[in-house]
């Protein structure tokens, strides 16, 4: 699975419509949502740049009693996410907000136990002529500095942040985080195959500096082009055919 070209993506417990979203359901999002865990059962979760709403729905399946806010600046994606939330049973505790993250102020929540995001990162590449794709893929709508500023404001002292980025961008993000007093607690290196380069890093951040960050690798497919047992085990609670 890379990025689904279909107008919808069917999970075990919910269905994500995606025809109105620039960024479709992808391996990035599904791996991030499967790996992301809070330190304890969370009361509050924030999904930054929710897109289709897939991460918010995955968190709702994992933590069914948590109150979840999902923020999305793009109008079409916001409407799509709101539809997905309302049409799926796990979405009962999710509220979708249409606004820039920099301006987001939660209504009844001071701070969050868990924040999750699949942020924009193609800051150095050619941009699309379509504005919604630019917002989804590039830092012009939400740069790393603004992201950390908001996370610092909205994450509880004992809270945890989860996100996914390419390796170079993750290093830049980590450096900015250190300046804010955040440290990588776990890192998972994602590879298509064992012979492939690492193309994504999934990391969790907290204000507590670990003695040694936990590091692991996840390979998606084996030499026979079949999904690895580790990948299947990670995604089995969500993926329809696993």
């Amino acid at each position: 699975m890379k990025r689904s070209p279909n107008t919808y993506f069917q999970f075990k417990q919910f269905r994500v419509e995606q025809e109105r979203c620039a960024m479709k359901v992808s391996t990035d999002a599904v791996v991030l949502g499967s790996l992301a865990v809070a330190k304890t059962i969370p009361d509050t979760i924030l999904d930054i740049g929710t897109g289709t709403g897939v991460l918010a729905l995955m968190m709702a399946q994992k933590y069914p009693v948590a109150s979840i806010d999902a923020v999305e600046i793009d109008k079409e994606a916001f409407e799509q996410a709101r539809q997905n939330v309302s049409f799926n049973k796990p979405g009962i505790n999710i509220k979708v907000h249409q606004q820039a993250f920099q301006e987001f102020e939660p209504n009844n929540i001071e701070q969050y136990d868990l924040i999750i995001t699949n942020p924009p990162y193609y800051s150095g590449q050619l941009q699309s002529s379509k504005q919604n794709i630019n917002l989804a893929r590039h830092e012009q709508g939400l740069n790393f500095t603004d992201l950390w500023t908001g996370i610092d404001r909205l994450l509880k002292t004992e809270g945890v942040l989860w996100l996914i980025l390419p390796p170079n961008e993750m290093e830049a993000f980590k450096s900015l985080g250190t300046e804010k007093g955040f440290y990588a607690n776990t890192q998972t290196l994602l590879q298509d195959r064992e012979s492939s380069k690492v193309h994504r890093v999934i990391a969790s951040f907290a204000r507590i500096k670990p003695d040694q960050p936990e590091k692991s690798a996840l390979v998606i497919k084996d030499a026979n082009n079949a999904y690895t047992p580790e990948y299947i085990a990670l995604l089995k609670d969500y993926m329809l055919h696993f």
Side-chain angles (χ1 to χ4, degrees), residues 23-39:
M23 300 303 289
K24 311 301 183 187
V25 174
S26 66
T27 302
D28 286 9
V30 177
V31 172
L32 172 61
S34 298
L35 282 171
V37 290
K39 291 182 178 179

Side-chain angles (χ1 to χ4, degrees), residues 9-74:
F9 195 96
Q10 185 67 50
F11 290 84
K12 281 183 176 176
Q13 294 190 23
F14 56 88
R15 172 170 163 153
V16 174
E17 301 289 342
Q18 57 183 5
E19 72 274 5
R20 298 173 67 179
C21 291
M23 300 303 289
K24 311 301 183 187
V25 174
S26 66
T27 302
D28 286 9
V30 177
V31 172
L32 172 61
S34 298
L35 282 171
V37 290
K39 291 182 178 179
T40 58
I41 296 176
D43 295 318
T44 54
I45 299 172
L46 175 63
D47 175 17
I48 304 169
T50 196
T52 61
V54 62
L55 286 175
L57 285 163
M58 291 181 77
M59 292 300 98
Q61 178 181 325
K62 189 176 294 187
Y63 299 115
V65 299
S67 296
I68 301 174
D69 284 318
V71 182
E72 176 55 54
I73 190 172
D74 179 71

Side-chain angles (χ1 to χ4, degrees), residues 130-189:
K130 295 183 178 180
Q131 181 66 15
N132 62 341
I133 295 178
N134 283 335
L135 282 172
R137 288 183 176 174
H138 295 269
E139 289 184 28
Q140 64 173 26
L142 178 61
N143 61 48
F144 289 168
T145 300
D146 288 348
L147 188 56
W148 269 124
T149 297
I151 289 164
D152 187 33
R153 174 171 59 91
L154 293 170
L155 189 66
K156 289 182 179 178
T157 302
E158 301 297 324
V160 60
L161 163 72
W162 283 85
L163 84 163
I164 184 168
L165 285 168
N168 289 341
E169 284 77 1
M170 183 61 81
E171 287 305 309
F173 188 80
K174 283 168 59 179
S175 295
L176 287 171
T178 302
E179 296 175 11
K180 291 279 188 183
F182 287 86
Y183 305 94
N185 280 215
T186 66
Q187 283 193 154
T188 300
L189 309 181

Side-chain angles (χ1 to χ4, degrees), residues 165-167 188-193 196-201 217:
L165 285 168
T188 300
L189 309 181
L190 188 61
Q191 298 168 259
D192 284 328
R193 290 170 178 78
S196 305
K197 290 182 179 179
V198 172
H199 66 278
R200 296 287 186 273
V201 180

Side-chain angles (χ1 to χ4, degrees), residues 91-237:
I92 189 169
N93 293 325
I94 301 173
K95 184 173 183 180
V96 187
H97 308 261
Q98 187 197 355
Q99 62 186 128
F101 174 62
Q102 295 93 325
E103 301 168 0
F104 175 66
E105 292 289 345
N107 295 328
N108 302 312
I109 296 169
E110 286 189 18
Q111 290 180 309
Y112 295 89
D113 298 301
L114 172 64
I115 296 179
I116 189 168
T117 183
N118 183 1
Y121 52 78
Y122 293 117
S123 56
Q125 299 185 17
L126 293 174
Q127 297 195 8
S128 166
S129 60
K130 295 183 178 180
Q131 181 66 15
N132 62 341
I133 295 178
N134 283 335
L135 282 172
R137 288 183 176 174
H138 295 269
E139 289 184 28
Q140 64 173 26
L142 178 61
N143 61 48
F144 289 168
T145 300
D146 288 348
L147 188 56
W148 269 124
T149 297
I151 289 164
D152 187 33
R153 174 171 59 91
L154 293 170
L155 189 66
K156 289 182 179 178
T157 302
E158 301 297 324
V160 60
L161 163 72
W162 283 85
L163 84 163
I164 184 168
L165 285 168
N168 289 341
E169 284 77 1
M170 183 61 81
E171 287 305 309
F173 188 80
K174 283 168 59 179
S175 295
L176 287 171
T178 302
E179 296 175 11
K180 291 279 188 183
F182 287 86
Y183 305 94
N185 280 215
T186 66
Q187 283 193 154
T188 300
L189 309 181
L190 188 61
Q191 298 168 259
D192 284 328
R193 290 170 178 78
E194 282 193 9
S195 59
S196 305
K197 290 182 179 179
V198 172
H199 66 278
R200 296 287 186 273
V201 180
I202 303 98
S204 66
F205 290 83
R207 291 183 171 91
I208 298 172
K209 188 174 184 179
D211 294 331
Q212 188 69 35
E214 296 179 21
K215 293 188 178 181
S216 61
L218 178 64
V219 179
I220 297 173
K221 289 186 176 182
D222 62 21
N224 297 317
N225 206 36
Y227 290 118
T228 63
E230 295 79 11
Y231 185 76
I232 292 172
L234 177 66
L235 274 61
K236 65 180 174 59
D237 289 341

